[in-house]
Amino acid sequence: MKILLTGANGYIGSRLLPMLVAAKHQVVCSVRDKRRFEPPKALLEYIEIVEVDFLDEKTFKNLPKDIDGAFYLLHSMSGDKDYEELELKCAQNFVQCMQPLNLKHVVYLGGMYNDKELSAHLESRKKVEDTLKTGNYNFTALRAAIIIGSGSASFEIIRDLVEKLPFMIAPKWLLTRCQPIGIVDVVYFLSNTIFDDFTYNKHFDIAGPDILTYKEMLLKFAKVRGLIRKILVVPLMTPKLSSLWLYFVTSVSFRLASALVGSMKVEVIANDHLLAEHLQYEPINYELALKNTLSKIESGEIISSWKDSYISGRLKNNISDFLEVPTSGCFTDKRKKKYVDREKTICKIWKIGGQNGYYSSKYLWKMRGVLDKMVGGVGLRRGRTHLNIIHAGDSLDFWRVLYANKEEGRLLLFAEMKLPGEAWLEFKIENDQVVQIATFRPKGLFGRLYWYAVYPFHFLIFNKMLTAISNV
């Protein structure tokens, strides 16, 4: 069968793709920006890649006409203030695009909710589900609560809170109950639902066996990690204070934290387990999901992370729009140095950021990250998804990877920190030298003043960084 996989480079889509290929399906991977999609080479002969943005009518023509089924995995937690409107419009356009096709089945992964109370985030998911079911195809909605897996926003929040705070004074929503599910189970349910006529025109809650409060989830994580943690729950934190608490302690943006706090105040427990019973499948418990996830992280097997999504930073356009580094009206700091060993130098470049840092002025970089976070920026909290692998589109601390070609020896980064302008940082190999270029396009007078204010630090930071990269 030929399946359209929307959001193929997303957190769920990238994990579902190998399962669909293994099931002998022909998969059409729909992505907004091809430059951000680098599937495993072993899968390339079994898939087709199309560039489609369901908010851009001009791209609809790229969709194949012979699709048998589709997965709708397009979500936007909080990338824009009007994300609810954009999510609904995206779903409406999808239905419109599918109307002329002889589509047999569409599967959607949404949020689990009860009938009494909905957060803005869950209300948006419900509206999307209601819109998708109006199409002239069989439709199935799978509803999940918190997903536990390497690189998931929920897991990263839990890990940040537990590993950073020995003692927590936490908001009362930590006493809200939910029913988490492991990512391996989510992918199993999705891959086994498509074209199963038992699931046609129905919705199913999918969940693990454990019903836990968020406090219990944090303490269980501490137990698995061998940590002793104390949590005091207080009723005094408003939603805004709770959002600020998550923002400053964890790796999420303030807007994403606000959306999550709204959802975490609502109890989400599965009404039944009909799909699991039909498939004769037993999801793993929360503790095992944690152990599996930590094992993946320790072995460096993180397929993708929510941090690589645009919602984690300020970049809203395709990375293609920033690939051409401007020269007109820009300030540039360009340095060159002979390298000792080409391969070792490139490997050093490819390991930059995250736990490895920037090879110079460690505390100045940390200070810049703290200052950025204090004014609402991303700071250094995102780190990097892989220790020594970089793909176009990845987040890397407060940078976004625009271009990464290891054979060519070129890495281009775009700054997602709060700046009075736009900034690029580029590394490239030219002949027997490493070239390091920092480019800043100022916005107004304040942008120019900013450049002159930080310029004295460039010699200290950039010179040491280039020396460390080239002398390996």
Side-chain angles (χ1 to χ4, degrees):
M1 291 289 199
K2 193 168 186 178
I3 297 175
L4 175 69
L5 180 61
T6 64
N9 58 342
Y11 180 74
I12 301 295
S14 58
R15 287 161 172 77
L16 180 59
L17 175 57
M19 297 287 287
L20 297 178
V21 171
K24 308 299 183 184
H25 293 298
Q26 183 182 354
V27 186
V28 179
C29 298
S30 169
V31 295
R32 200 174 82 177
D33 187 350
K34 284 185 178 180
R35 291 181 181 272
R36 294 191 62 205
F37 185 49
E38 294 186 39
K41 291 181 180 179
L43 300 181
L44 290 177
E45 64 178 296
Y46 304 104
I47 66 175
E48 177 184 350
I49 304 171
V50 296
E51 204 166 60
V52 180
D53 181 350
F54 283 97
L55 290 173
D56 184 359
E57 191 173 340
K58 297 190 298 292
T59 68
F60 297 170
K61 64 180 184 296
N62 296 333
L63 285 167
K65 308 300 181 187
D66 56 345
I67 300 168
D68 299 301
F71 285 95
Y72 190 89
L73 303 175
L74 304 175
H75 296 309
S76 174
M77 274 293 283
S78 55
D80 297 89
K81 292 180 180 178
D82 55 349
Y83 77 93
E84 297 173 62
E85 182 182 334
L86 293 175
E87 282 203 328
L88 185 58
K89 181 64 176 175
C90 192
Q92 291 169 342
N93 287 343
F94 175 85
V95 172
Q96 180 184 336
C97 289
M98 298 301 110
Q99 291 296 96
L101 310 181
N102 187 26
L103 207 63
K104 188 176 182 181
H105 194 196
V106 170
V107 179
Y108 167 64
L109 177 64
M112 190 185 297
Y113 54 85
N114 58 40
D115 297 325
K116 298 176 182 178
E117 185 181 3
L118 292 177
S119 65
H121 164 56
L122 291 175
E123 178 69 35
S124 178
R125 293 288 189 267
K126 185 177 185 300
K127 287 179 180 178
V128 167
E129 181 181 321
D130 291 341
T131 299
L132 293 173
K133 70 170 62 171
T134 64
N136 59 348
Y137 42 69
N138 295 300
F139 177 72
T140 303
L142 304 188
R143 300 171 179 173
I146 281 186
I147 297 175
I148 303 299
S150 56
S152 80
S154 303
F155 173 79
E156 293 298 335
I157 288 173
I158 293 169
R159 183 166 69 149
D160 281 345
L161 289 174
V162 174
E163 295 190 348
K164 291 179 181 178
L165 302 176
F167 177 74
M168 297 179 223
I169 299 178
K172 62 181 180 181
W173 51 256
L174 249 68
L175 300 178
T176 304
R177 297 189 306 163
C178 70
Q179 200 162 357
I181 182 170
I183 181 62
V184 64
D185 298 323
V186 174
V187 172
Y188 179 88
F189 282 126
L190 284 168
S191 60
N192 284 276
T193 295
I194 193 74
F195 303 128
D196 183 344
D197 55 12
F198 170 81
T199 69
Y200 288 176
N201 306 311
K202 298 175 186 174
H203 61 78
F204 300 93
D205 290 345
I206 57 173
D210 299 323
I211 298 175
L212 304 165
T213 65
Y214 291 104
K215 179 180 177 180
E216 289 171 330
M217 291 172 65
L218 293 172
L219 292 176
K220 278 183 176 289
F221 182 93
K223 177 185 174 183
V224 169
R225 292 283 286 118
L227 301 170
I228 298 175
R229 294 294 183 258
K230 301 293 182 183
I231 302 174
L232 174 64
V233 176
V234 297
L236 304 176
M237 286 195 186
T238 64
K240 187 171 183 179
L241 282 175
S242 294
S243 301
L244 286 170
W245 180 68
L246 277 185
Y247 169 67
F248 280 110
V249 177
T250 72
S251 55
V252 299
S253 65
F254 178 74
R255 198 173 292 166
L256 179 54
S258 299
L260 289 170
V261 166
S263 297
M264 288 173 172
K265 293 187 297 181
V266 181
E267 186 172 274
V268 281
I269 297 173
N271 292 309
D272 53 56
H273 300 279
L274 288 177
L275 185 58
E277 292 167 4
H278 166 67
L279 296 173
Q280 298 183 342
Y281 180 76
E282 186 175 343
I284 61 176
N285 62 35
Y286 175 68
E287 192 167 322
L288 183 54
L290 286 179
K291 290 177 179 177
N292 289 348
T293 300
L294 290 168
S295 175
K296 292 285 186 183
I297 292 171
E298 289 169 4
S299 60
E301 297 178 35
I302 305 176
I303 296 175
S304 64
S305 171
W306 75 272
K307 297 173 186 176
D308 296 328
S309 167
Y310 284 144
I311 66 170
S312 74
R314 60 180 281 208
L315 193 65
K316 299 193 188 324
N317 303 66
N318 289 352
I319 59 174
S320 307
D321 298 336
F322 295 87
L323 276 173
E324 293 296 325
V325 182
T327 54
S328 178
C330 294
F331 294 108
T332 302
D333 183 304
K334 184 174 182 178
R335 301 169 190 269
K336 297 181 179 181
K337 199 171 187 68
K338 279 192 173 184
Y339 57 76
V340 176
D341 184 295
R342 186 181 190 276
E343 293 305 314
K344 288 183 179 179
T345 294
I346 293 175
C347 284
K348 190 96 172 182
I349 294 172
W350 251 247
K351 291 182 179 180
I352 200 167
Q355 297 177 1
N356 299 318
Y358 293 84
Y359 313 130
S360 70
S361 310
K362 177 181 177 181
Y363 294 105
L364 286 177
W365 283 102
K366 282 191 173 182
M367 185 185 301
R368 184 64 182 90
V370 170
L371 290 173
D372 187 54
K373 195 163 185 178
M374 288 179 66
V375 295
V378 297
L380 295 174
R381 63 177 184 257
R382 297 186 304 188
R384 49 182 294 160
T385 301
H386 303 277
L387 292 177
N388 53 15
I389 300 172
I390 298 178
H391 298 298
D394 286 358
S395 64
L396 197 162
D397 294 326
F398 42 42
W399 305 97
R400 178 72 62 177
V401 180
L402 299 181
Y403 184 82
N405 188 317
K406 204 166 185 179
E407 292 182 8
E408 181 184 338
R410 182 179 178 227
L411 176 65
L412 178 62
L413 309 175
F414 177 77
E416 292 194 304
M417 64 190 83
K418 290 282 187 178
L419 289 171
E422 297 171 329
W424 291 258
L425 180 61
E426 182 175 12
F427 302 92
K428 56 184 177 181
I429 302 296
E430 287 185 351
N431 299 321
D432 61 346
Q433 293 183 316
V434 186
V435 181
Q436 176 185 285
I437 309 170
T439 303
F440 181 68
R441 179 162 60 185
K443 186 177 181 181
L445 176 62
F446 187 59
R448 295 176 181 276
L449 292 175
Y450 170 82
W451 173 263
Y452 291 121
V454 300
Y455 189 76
F457 297 100
H458 284 186
F459 178 80
L460 178 64
I461 295 174
F462 289 146
N463 200 52
K464 280 187 177 180
M465 182 164 65
L466 182 59
T467 300
I469 288 171
S470 57
N471 291 344
V472 290

